[in-house]
Every structure is written in C-alpha cells, then in structure tokens.
Amino acid sequence: MNRVLIFVDNREVSSGILDYFRQYDCEIQTKMLLYGDFIVSDRVCIEKKVVSDFIKSITDKRLFYQLKAMKDNFEKPNLIIEGEESL
C-alpha cells in the first residue's frame, strides 16, 4: 500500500503541524512551496492562515494573489482559517 505524500512548506515547520501529520501513516517532505502551505496531491493544495494573518493578507492584497495562484495551479485549492479573533 502506498503512503500518502504530503509536502509541507518549510515555513510551517515551527507551527507544530509536522507532529500532527506524524500521527498518521503518511510520508512528509518539507520544502519551499511556490503555492500554499501543504500539497496533499497533484490536485489539492492548502493554504492555512491564523485569523491575524488572514486579516493582514486581505489588507495588503496578498491573499488574492495566493488564492489565484492556487486556483491556476490546482484543481482543488483550499483555504483554512484557524482560530478566532478576539475583540
């Protein structure tokens, strides 16, 4: 049986996500990704943002570039917004 290969952007290593993925029988490779934070197949790319980065990336218009690039290069791009903003 083939193990799922997940590419993780090397900027996400300090987030603790590698420990989460290690719970599962998958292969993990870290590298600088051009699109998204995680690539889980040739069709699926995931961008994960905490709320503060989500808001900042809307303000500086980076989010729109990131999402368009993912849409142009993957059949199923995904955006995960993690956490909640306290007011």
Side-chain angles (χ1 to χ4, degrees), residues 22-71:
R22 286 189 182 112
Q23 299 179 79
Y24 303 97
D25 189 26
C26 59
E27 182 179 345
I28 304 163
Q29 290 185 16
T30 60
K31 66 180 190 175
M32 177 76 91
L33 298 178
L34 295 176
Y35 313 106
D37 295 319
F38 315 106
I39 297 177
V40 296
S41 78
D42 60 344
R43 300 177 334 143
V44 179
C45 179
I46 302 167
E47 175 71 28
K48 179 182 76 67
K49 295 202 176 283
V50 295
V51 172
S52 59
D53 186 39
F54 176 67
I55 292 168
K56 184 177 179 188
S57 66
I58 289 173
T59 304
D60 66 15
K61 298 184 172 76
R62 179 173 30 106
L63 179 67
F64 306 106
Y65 167 77
Q66 291 172 319
L67 296 179
K68 180 172 181 350
M70 287 172 45
K71 179 181 163 292

